[in-house]
Amino acid sequence: MAAGRWRAGLALLAVALGLGGPRAEQMEEHLKREHSLSKPYQGVGSASAGLWELQGNAIVMAQYIRLTPDVQSKWGAVWNRVPCYLRDWEMQVHFKIHGQGKKNLNGDGFAIWYTKDRMQQGPVFGSKDNFLGLGVFVDTYPNEEKQQERVFPYISAMVNNGSLTYDHDRDGRPTELGGCTAMVRNLNHDTFLVIRYVKRRLTEWRDCIDVPGVRLPRGYYFGTSSVTGDLSDNHDIISLKLYQLTVERTPEEERRDKEVYLPVVDNLKLPGMEAPLEPMSGLALFLIVFFSLVAIVFAIVIGVIVYNKWQEQSRKHFY
């Protein structure tokens, strides 16, 4: 399918599934091939060449990259080798989840990552816990037995500054930014996930997640990972396409969107996720040091005077 037809088809599908719709503002977009993964997957997994690296049980097939087969206790991942320094971006994930298991007898799902560390195996859909960055999870199995209001598969997002642990037994509920049900398993048509990060705003399936005040550092890595346990599924990635978005900013937005060095979400009341304090200016630091030194000198002078008075009084008493 030609690129224009593919994009048009994606837009129609996004509207049909509630993934998005017309953009609220004008923006230009440019495909960034160094951060994108698509057929024929040339160089993927090679030791010294290629932009993407495989991990675990992930394998390259002609039409997709299989993160895990429909087999118990497997895990796999694929990670971009190039750090991303884009300010505003959109990641379009074309994927397929399918298997022999019946509803709620399959698992476990997969994750899309934008994190500081890459290629590190762990318990969160095959990748490390206490990560730095963003994780978007397509969870296909309910681990929390007592929950009833949530229907799976379920999509959620989490921002972590390294201090938070993903609660697998509760399906990540304590730390999620938001989420929604998405019937994405064993479908006969294509399934997509669109994650957009513009002006510190994270959106993912517009009616699912829309979080302002998300501050992500630049220079992190994109990746995707999956895991199976006692239950399993085929988790296939057909393409990952990253678009650079060019948007206009007001002077106030430019001031507000300054560079950050730790992931954080404004006004998010989660343990360890408080917004970092603003760094002191050079003048403020100088004044603090100056007056501290003056106070120390003053205290020393007062101490010397008091000591001399005490000695003088001691001599008078002696004589």
Side-chain angles (χ1 to χ4, degrees), residues 54 109 138 196 212 235 299 319:
L54 297 179
V138 182
R196 186 181 300 161
H235 297 94
Y319 291 108

Side-chain angles (χ1 to χ4, degrees), residues 13-305:
L13 181 63
V15 173
L17 293 181
L19 285 168
R23 289 190 171 91
E25 57 185 314
Q26 290 295 111
M27 62 180 73
E28 296 181 3
E29 56 184 39
H30 305 280
L31 178 67
K32 305 301 290 185
R33 299 188 182 280
E34 66 270 29
H35 302 299
S36 297
L37 174 68
S38 59
K39 293 181 283 189
Y41 313 118
Q42 291 181 344
V44 175
S46 61
S48 58
L51 299 172
W52 294 82
E53 192 170 358
L54 297 179
Q55 192 180 21
N57 302 114
I59 57 173
V60 179
M61 309 295 284
Q63 300 299 318
Y64 51 82
I65 293 177
R66 177 153 290 170
L67 299 178
T68 66
D70 190 0
V71 178
Q72 294 178 336
S73 303
K74 300 294 183 181
W75 73 279
V78 57
W79 284 91
N80 194 197
R81 283 191 166 113
V82 183
C84 178
Y85 291 93
L86 300 182
R87 195 177 191 182
D88 306 287
W89 47 262
E90 179 178 281
M91 173 62 82
Q92 299 176 1
V93 185
H94 186 185
F95 67 95
K96 187 175 181 65
I97 301 175
H98 57 106
Q100 299 299 315
K102 296 180 180 180
K103 181 176 175 59
N104 289 343
L105 291 175
N106 57 278
D108 283 327
F110 75 100
I112 300 295
W113 301 101
Y114 175 70
T115 57
K116 181 178 181 179
D117 299 313
R118 58 185 291 274
M119 299 291 289
Q120 294 195 22
Q121 183 185 4
V124 186
F125 296 92
S127 193
K128 68 170 289 186
D129 204 349
N130 301 104
F131 56 91
L132 281 164
L134 168 69
V136 177
F137 311 122
V138 182
D139 192 349
T140 58
Y141 180 74
N143 292 287
E144 189 172 7
E145 296 179 358
K146 294 182 180 180
Q147 70 85 24
Q148 296 178 346
E149 74 278 11
R150 183 172 292 192
V151 178
F152 284 72
Y154 192 85
I155 295 178
S156 64
M158 174 181 175
V159 169
N160 199 343
N161 63 1
S163 68
L164 301 178
T165 297
Y166 180 84
D167 192 337
H168 186 73
D169 292 335
R170 298 186 61 193
D171 304 309
R173 300 172 76 135
T175 53
E176 73 173 39
L177 297 178
C180 66
T181 296
M183 297 304 168
V184 295
R185 183 177 179 269
N186 280 347
L187 299 180
N188 293 324
H189 56 75
D190 291 339
T191 47
F192 296 87
L193 178 63
V194 180
I195 306 164
R196 186 181 300 161
Y197 181 64
V198 178
K199 293 183 178 180
R200 306 298 189 194
R201 192 178 200 96
L202 178 71
T203 58
E204 172 235 6
W205 294 33
R206 178 169 297 178
D207 296 330
C208 182
I209 292 176
D210 187 349
V211 185
V214 177
R215 294 189 276 174
L216 299 175
R218 289 189 267 185
Y220 283 12
Y221 295 90
F222 284 104
T224 179
S225 65
S226 178
V227 68
T228 65
D230 293 335
L231 302 174
S232 61
D233 254 339
N234 297 302
H235 297 94
D236 299 337
I237 298 296
I238 299 167
S239 68
L240 301 171
K241 293 188 176 181
L242 186 74
Y243 289 86
Q244 179 180 8
L245 304 179
T246 304
V247 298
E248 294 184 358
R249 280 177 167 81
T250 64
E252 173 61 22
E253 288 173 333
E254 288 287 353
R255 185 193 67 80
R256 189 174 65 244
D257 291 356
K258 59 187 177 182
E259 190 73 17
V260 296
Y261 302 98
L262 273 179
V264 70
V265 181
D266 295 341
N267 303 317
L268 181 64
K269 303 300 182 182
L270 289 176
M273 289 297 292
E274 293 81 7
L277 296 175
E278 293 290 334
M280 287 187 293
S281 66
L283 177 61
L285 184 61
F286 169 77
L287 291 175
I288 290 174
V289 173
F290 174 76
F291 284 111
S292 297
L293 291 174
V294 169
I296 292 172
V297 171
F298 183 75
I300 292 174
V301 170
I302 294 298
V304 170
I305 293 174

